[in-house]
Structures are given as C-alpha cells and as structure tokens.
Amino acid sequence: MASRKLLFALTAARRVRSRAPVLLSASLLPETSTSASHTAAAAAAATKLSGGSPWALRLFSSRAFSSTRPTQQAGGDAPVPSAVDQKLIMQEDKFHKLADDTIHDLLEKLEVYGDSQQMDGFDIDYGNQVLTLRLGDLGTYVVNKQTPNRQIWLSSPVSGPARFDWDAASNSWVYRRTGVNLMRLLEEEIGELCGTPVDLS
C-alpha cells in the first residue's frame, strides 16, 4: 500500500512539472522592459511556477526580450530634413561684415531718399546696431542684427516682423518663409507709403 502511494506521488509530481512550460505563457510573464528589476521579476516568476524545473527555465531564457521597438516608416514617406544651423555654416565675423555692410548701405540710401521727401516726421536713426526709420503717422521700421541666429530682423508697419537669412546664391538677405528679398520688400513698402519710388538695391 505504501509503495502504491509513493508511486502515485511521484507520478503527480512529474505531471505538475510537465505542465510548467504551459503555465509560463506570455500573459503571465512581465511585459518587455529595459529595467533590470523587471527582468529579475520575470525570472523569479518562472522559477516559482516551474518549481525549479530546468526545462521551464530554459523556456523562459529562450524568450526574446527587446529593449527597443523598431521604428516603422510608412511606404513613400521621405525622412524629415533637420533644420539648418546657420551658426555651423557662417562664421560670426563673416556674419557681422555682411550684416553691417547691408545695414550701413541701407542707412545711407534712406538718408538720401529722406532728403528728397517732403514728409513730416520722416526720420532715420542708427544706434546700438539698430536702424530705425520713422515715417510719421505712417509707422516705424526697425532693422537690427541677431547674431546668435545669424539673421537680420525686420519690424514693418505693413508686413509685420520677419527674419532674414543670408542667401549666398542670390547674394542677398531672404525671408525663407515667403522667399522675399529684404531690400525689395523695403523698396515696395516704403515707396508705396511715401508715394515716391525708392532704390535700395
């Protein structure tokens, strides 16, 4: 009788161990993670469920754990180009020369243009690297350098604010959002406001 009970116990133990791999399903294991604590928890769960069965532990270790998920790109999608850093393209001393030459040339031509105008409130001022053109009640233009961005910034009473980058191809300052040239924009707006064409090119 005792031998039959022993045989029954051994048979039951084998059945429990043979079912251990089935219990180690993906739903019982922790989700994939790069955390060492999650991985240790998964190993502990496998050991507990398997009763230390080498077979179950080998099954656990054979599961593929990935620390990253592959990035899928839809068919036909082109990679988004990174923003151009003007600081890496243009040296600061070159930027200052280009910007200073542009603003000083603009100052001289506007002074000549202002002398020919019979307009109350027409005034040009340059100080602290900022050019200010006042057209009386018609509004005020402000042109200044932005060294960190390698840009010339314009504040216009007509078109609002704009940031101009140096375009080597056209040898001019261009507002990339619209493609407009700084000097041509000023010629058009100032000439229309004052009623007299102005040549700033």
Side-chain angles (χ1 to χ4, degrees), residues 127-139:
N128 297 323
Q129 300 183 340
V130 177
L131 187 153
T132 304
L133 170 64
R134 298 179 181 86
L135 301 178
D137 296 337
L138 298 178

Side-chain angles (χ1 to χ4, degrees), residues 68-146:
T68 58
R69 294 183 179 179
T71 302
Q72 295 183 352
Q73 183 174 339
D77 289 350
V80 180
S82 58
V84 176
D85 189 346
Q86 295 296 329
K87 292 182 292 184
L88 300 178
I89 297 177
M90 184 185 297
Q91 296 296 324
E92 185 173 341
D93 56 347
K94 181 179 180 181
F95 163 74
H96 283 304
K97 184 179 187 310
L98 289 170
D100 289 341
D101 289 348
T102 299
I103 294 177
H104 292 160
D105 185 59
L106 179 61
L107 174 63
E108 292 178 1
K109 291 181 177 179
L110 285 175
E111 286 178 338
V112 173
Y113 178 74
D115 292 339
S116 65
Q117 297 299 304
Q118 301 297 324
M119 177 187 292
D120 293 337
F122 190 103
D123 180 69
I124 302 175
D125 177 69
Y126 180 74
N128 297 323
Q129 300 183 340
V130 177
L131 187 153
T132 304
L133 170 64
R134 298 179 181 86
L135 301 178
D137 296 337
L138 298 178
T140 300
Y141 284 87
V142 178
V143 181
N144 66 293
K145 298 189 301 182
Q146 286 294 325

